[in-house]
Amino acid sequence: MKLKRFNSYTKYCVLSFIALIAFACRSEKSKDQQRGKYLLIINGEKGSRDKDQAVWFDSLDSGAVINVGDGADISGKLGSAVILRDSFALSLDKKMGVLQKFIYTIEGLTATTSLQLAGFEYISYAADLDSGRMLISGRNNQNISRYAVIDMQSMRLLKTGIFKLPVAKGQSLSDNFGVLGDKKLYIGYSSFGADYDQCSDTAYLAVLDPEGMKPLSVSRDTRSAFPGAGVNGMFSFFKGPDHDLYVLTSPVFYHGNHPIAPTAFYRIGKGKTDFDKDYLFNLSEKLKGMHLLGIAQAAPGKVVLATIAYPSTGKSDYYLADVKQQTLRLLLKDQYQPSFVWGTSGGNLAGQAYFIVNNNEGSAQLYLYDVHSDKLKKGALIQGKISPKSSYLLISPK
């Protein structure tokens, strides 16, 4: 009799345990469903870190409304520079000198490991190297550019230093893009005076050994000016359909000693180590002197660009540029100028290029460019506590 009672009790415990596991699994599944397919990170007002939100949603398409109020408060978590990857995000806390890694969770972003990163107050760009390593380049409060190579899995600092490359006399190096290709690291840079004045009129392209960071070659070009956007997070370069590299040279207020320099695209041929002297896509010439900033790559040879006036008018037009045909096509006119807090507000998701344009107070519009139909269409509408100065990051995490 005792044995029977024991067996009954054991069976009850086992069944209860199974039920508990099943409930936990359903809870986890429910949590995943709540998490949504896409994550929109919103800076509510330019320059402020105390109104940031993160909201999950499921559709990019027209008819969907993304309500910022449904999101999680992530105020104070992110700095002005954010690096997004499929399974994590990085942000620099310049006051503490810490590079913080985040994973994507129901709360939007959850801090995990961090790395003390001395000598960095700003991040210019990040370049993925091989073996899970990443190169981060940035500057300190004395405008000295430096780099760090990090093992992203362990968040361990592998190497740090200063690029030893030629610059204009009396100026400091400012590198704006880096990309790994053919087992070489391509770095685009120019130089500035002590107070970011008197920018050099020269675009430099350095090719380095990514292991020792030693220069293999350095070439120069003066047809335009600064190589890369020179504005926080803005689109600077992309790989074309023939594996050529296209670099957006965007002087804007960085033209310094070369005030009539045009915004243009340079090209670096596959396997080459200098700018193609036979290629110059002069964008300013087509727009009567107006400069452009990069928003997103739209297709293998096409990019979305936004005009920017200096001094600023607060308004931008959006264009589709074809770098092979060297053509510009107007997409949108007289929109709010994109905010530079988190860069482009654009990218590629689900086989479509997207970018986000602020409307009036409390509203922004997601636009989608479909490469197959060659058409721009409205996507989801964003509503809530945002302003014409808001900035956005959008990702579909793994």
Side-chain angles (χ1 to χ4, degrees):
M1 190 70 178
K2 287 184 179 178
L3 183 61
K4 284 183 180 178
R5 277 202 301 269
F6 177 78
N7 286 340
S8 298
Y9 180 73
T10 303
K11 186 185 290 184
Y12 171 77
C13 289
V14 170
L15 289 172
S16 299
F17 181 70
I18 291 171
L20 186 63
I21 292 295
F23 176 77
C25 289
R26 282 197 302 272
S27 297
E28 285 302 314
K29 187 176 180 182
S30 174
K31 229 179 221 190
D32 287 343
Q33 287 172 346
Q34 288 177 2
R35 210 182 79 158
K37 187 174 181 181
Y38 303 102
L39 178 64
L40 181 67
I41 301 171
I42 306 152
N43 170 240
E45 188 173 342
K46 184 178 180 182
S48 170
R49 301 266 67 85
D50 60 2
K51 295 181 180 179
D52 294 347
Q53 297 280 318
V55 57
W56 290 97
F57 65 103
D58 288 310
S59 177
L60 299 172
D61 293 333
S62 174
V65 175
I66 304 167
N67 188 344
V68 175
D70 293 337
D73 183 359
I74 56 167
S75 301
K77 286 191 175 184
L78 298 174
S80 59
V82 181
I83 300 165
L84 288 183
R85 293 298 184 265
D86 286 345
S87 56
F88 65 87
L90 299 173
S91 187
L92 178 69
D93 182 335
K94 65 180 183 180
K95 290 181 181 178
M96 302 298 292
V98 169
L99 184 69
Q100 180 67 59
K101 186 176 184 179
F102 297 89
I103 57 171
Y104 307 112
T105 64
I106 192 67
E107 292 82 17
L109 296 169
T110 298
T112 57
T113 50
S114 63
L115 172 68
Q116 200 72 36
L117 202 60
F120 286 79
E121 287 214 352
Y122 306 96
I123 293 176
S124 301
Y125 63 88
D128 291 316
L129 305 178
D130 56 5
S131 304
R133 297 178 302 156
M134 179 184 287
L135 178 138
I136 291 175
S137 180
R139 302 174 72 79
N140 64 12
N141 58 3
Q142 297 176 317
N143 284 338
I144 296 174
S145 183
R146 61 185 304 112
Y147 68 85
V149 178
I150 299 164
D151 181 308
M152 291 314 305
Q153 186 169 359
S154 63
M155 280 295 280
R156 184 166 56 94
L157 182 63
L158 302 175
K159 186 179 180 64
T160 187
I162 297 170
F163 289 120
K164 296 179 180 178
L165 299 166
V167 293
K169 186 176 180 181
Q171 295 196 343
S172 299
L173 178 144
S174 180
D175 52 318
N176 253 357
F177 75 88
V179 62
L180 188 70
D182 297 324
K183 297 183 179 180
K184 301 182 185 70
L185 183 63
Y186 290 78
I187 299 288
Y189 71 97
S190 191
S191 57
F192 285 105
D195 296 315
Y196 266 92
D197 58 347
Q198 293 302 303
C199 171
S200 168
D201 61 356
T202 303
Y204 297 86
L205 177 66
V207 181
L208 297 90
D209 166 21
E211 297 304 320
M213 294 298 167
K214 302 293 184 184
L216 304 173
S217 67
V218 178
S219 57
R220 299 167 172 81
D221 202 300
T222 57
R223 291 174 295 171
S224 180
F226 211 85
V231 178
N232 176 35
M234 299 306 288
F235 175 91
S236 291
F237 71 94
F238 72 99
K239 288 183 179 179
D242 301 319
H243 301 285
D244 296 338
L245 186 67
Y246 291 88
V247 180
L248 180 64
T249 63
S250 184
V252 191
F253 48 88
Y254 292 122
H255 46 49
N257 295 340
H258 195 2
I260 60 171
T263 298
F265 271 110
Y266 285 166
R267 180 171 66 191
I268 305 163
K270 184 179 181 337
K272 303 296 184 181
T273 58
D274 57 0
F275 296 116
D276 185 343
K277 301 300 182 186
D278 297 322
Y279 180 93
L280 180 73
F281 184 3
N282 190 326
L283 298 162
S284 294
E285 184 178 57
K286 294 182 180 295
L287 294 177
K288 299 179 180 178
M290 187 71 76
H291 297 299
L292 294 106
L293 291 176
I295 300 299
Q297 183 173 358
K302 297 179 181 180
V303 291
V304 177
L305 304 171
T307 58
I308 177 170
Y310 184 73
S312 174
T313 62
K315 293 290 186 178
S316 288
D317 300 333
Y318 285 75
Y319 286 87
L320 183 73
D322 186 321
V323 295
K324 294 280 283 185
Q325 302 299 321
Q326 297 194 33
T327 58
L328 276 178
R329 189 173 92 214
L330 181 65
L331 297 175
L332 298 169
K333 192 161 183 64
D334 275 341
Q335 307 297 309
Y336 281 108
Q337 184 174 293
S339 169
F340 302 143
V341 172
W342 284 335
T344 69
S345 294
N348 289 84
L349 286 174
Q352 300 178 98
Y354 76 85
F355 58 97
I356 298 170
V357 178
N358 285 315
N359 298 327
N360 295 319
E361 197 76 22
S363 176
Q365 181 65 59
L366 173 69
Y367 284 93
L368 302 169
Y369 170 78
D370 185 85
V371 61
H372 300 296
S373 65
D374 191 29
K375 290 182 179 178
L376 182 73
K377 64 179 182 180
K378 285 186 177 181
L381 183 67
I382 302 166
Q383 292 185 326
K385 293 182 179 179
I386 52 178
S387 80
K389 294 182 179 180
S390 290
S391 183
Y392 310 88
L393 297 171
L394 178 58
I395 189 166
S396 180
K398 285 184 176 178

